[in-house]
Amino acid sequence: GAGDDWASLDRVGGLFGANVKGVISLHPFHHCGFGPELESDRLPFVHWGVASSDCLPVIAADDENGFYRLTRRVIEAGHRRIVFLADPDALEREREDCFRGHRRAMREARLDADCAAAEESLALEPEDLAGIQRFLVRHGRATAIVCARYSLSRAIVAAAELMGLRVPEDLSIAVVGHALMRRSDPSRRFCRLDFQRDCM
């Protein structure tokens, strides 16, 4: 309930008892203020889903395979000029995993993964539509974007449409998560990255 001490839920010897060594959770659990190493008095919580700064440091997500499969789906839809947008909130190792999967799918299709665009995308902010538009102009040959940053996806659609681009007809967006592409059109949705739970 609201009065419970949620900050101590993962404390060793607390709610789960002294014999519990870790918890597999169906939902992300917020580890407040922790760094990349789990403190010795805390239980590891592992959950399915994308990497999140709210749930460091123990997350079960096959980011490399997920972005490989997502990029394959974009290529199979007929796209050849694809730009990858990285997530600056992810750990560097996680960003590398995501891009490695994207690059592998591109190589298999004999396409070049644009490393410079991925690096450049780290500076994009959802509220900076002008900055996103400049990015889209610089990479104007792209017909699809694979976006590892969910919070940026709606802003990309808005910026593209302000430029007169039709989404998804002129520019397709593939993004982690699940969101309506346009509020006015509930039948059009982002492509979703799904995790292979049986493999994890």
Side-chain angles (χ1 to χ4, degrees):
D4 292 334
D5 184 11
W6 290 99
S8 297
L9 181 65
D10 63 336
R11 193 164 302 281
V12 172
L15 175 69
F16 294 102
N19 294 327
V20 173
K21 302 299 181 196
V23 177
I24 297 176
S25 176
L26 297 179
H27 300 284
F29 175 75
H30 183 73
H31 291 276
C32 188
F34 292 157
E37 297 290 326
L38 191 65
E39 294 180 6
S40 61
D41 67 335
R42 299 288 175 161
L43 292 170
F45 271 64
V46 181
H47 72 91
W48 281 333
V50 298
S52 165
S53 57
D54 285 342
C55 308
L56 293 175
V58 282
I59 296 166
D62 188 352
D63 291 330
E64 181 175 345
N65 187 54
F67 278 95
Y68 168 78
R69 292 172 58 229
L70 183 61
T71 302
R72 284 284 305 263
R73 288 174 61 186
V74 172
I75 293 168
E76 288 165 5
H79 294 283
R80 296 293 176 265
R81 296 187 304 272
I82 304 166
V83 170
F84 182 90
L85 270 62
D87 184 356
D89 296 328
L91 296 174
E92 183 176 353
R93 171 183 47 79
E94 293 164 346
R95 284 198 303 270
E96 289 171 357
D97 288 347
C98 297
F99 191 73
R100 188 180 309 108
H102 168 75
R103 185 176 54 225
R104 181 163 52 103
M106 295 289 280
R107 280 187 184 151
E108 286 180 5
R110 294 184 171 82
L111 302 171
D112 292 324
D114 192 337
C115 298
E119 188 68 29
E120 182 186 342
S121 73
L122 291 170
L124 298 176
E125 292 297 334
E127 61 278 357
D128 183 13
L129 290 183
I132 294 170
Q133 286 177 324
R134 288 190 296 273
F135 179 88
L136 293 176
V137 168
R138 282 192 297 277
H139 303 283
R141 294 184 65 244
T143 61
I145 291 176
V146 172
C147 184
R149 188 177 181 191
Y150 178 81
S151 62
L152 193 60
S153 54
R154 282 188 185 274
I156 294 168
V157 172
E161 290 184 338
L162 284 171
M163 295 169 62
L165 296 172
R166 297 168 304 153
V167 178
E169 295 85 357
D170 299 323
L171 183 65
S172 293
I173 313 293
V175 65
V176 174
H178 194 271
L180 295 177
M181 188 171 281
R182 294 187 186 90
R183 293 173 198 267
S184 60
D185 187 354
S187 66
R188 291 175 184 262
R189 295 181 182 271
F190 288 102
C191 182
R192 181 176 178 175
L193 186 159
D194 289 312
F195 295 94
Q196 292 183 306
R197 302 183 190 280
D198 55 337
C199 291
M200 288 191 288

